[in-house]
Structures are given as C-alpha cells and as structure tokens.
Amino acid sequence: ELAGIHRLFGDMAWDPLWHAVHKLHGSAAVCGTPALHHALDQLQRAVREQSRTLTAAGLSDLQYEADRLAALTTKPR
C-alpha cells in the first residue's frame, strides 16, 4: 500500500493519492496506532492542498512511522 502511495505521488495523481491516503488513515484509526494515524492526518492535509513539499515531508514521516511500527511488531521477544 505504501509503495502505491509513493507511486501516486511520483505521478502527481492528487485525487487517487488523496483517496489512498484517506483509506489508510481510516485503517490506522481502527487499528489504534496513534503516531501512524497522526502522520496520515498530516499527509492527507498536504495532499488536499496539493503541496509537493508538504506531501514529500508527509510521506517521509509516514514511512518512518510505518517502519517503526513494523520493527516493533516483528521484534523477537
């Protein structure tokens, strides 16, 4: 899903990008991942404004949070 979001940003496909981020934003809310949800909220706002700079920063934050969450869930106990 993140690869598709990155691809849509590369294509500057703002409407499909917003819908993809919005869908993931809802999923993060249901899953109870507040940092990921916040990153997606910020990204959704940037995409809505069609700001390349803010969207790039938001994608970076999203990737960081997704990687951090993945590391927490795959860490051996």
Side-chain angles (χ1 to χ4, degrees), residues 20-41:
V21 171
H22 181 70
K23 180 180 175 184
L24 194 55
H25 182 255
S27 297
V30 170
C31 292
T33 53
L36 186 65
H37 184 260
H38 178 73
L40 285 158
D41 186 54

Side-chain angles (χ1 to χ4, degrees), residues 4-76:
I5 288 173
H6 283 284
R7 189 172 43 260
L8 289 168
F9 176 62
D11 293 343
M12 293 291 129
W14 293 109
D15 191 49
L17 176 58
W18 186 88
H19 286 287
V21 171
H22 181 70
K23 180 180 175 184
L24 194 55
H25 182 255
S27 297
V30 170
C31 292
T33 53
L36 186 65
H37 184 260
H38 178 73
L40 285 158
D41 186 54
Q42 297 302 312
L43 179 57
Q44 191 171 344
R45 291 171 195 228
V47 171
R48 186 180 313 121
E49 294 176 18
Q50 297 185 4
S51 168
R52 291 179 185 186
T53 303
L54 293 176
T55 300
L59 279 171
S60 179
D61 291 346
L62 172 59
Q63 190 66 58
Y64 172 81
E65 290 302 334
D67 291 345
R68 189 178 68 79
L69 185 60
L72 289 173
T73 59
T74 58
K75 188 182 269 188

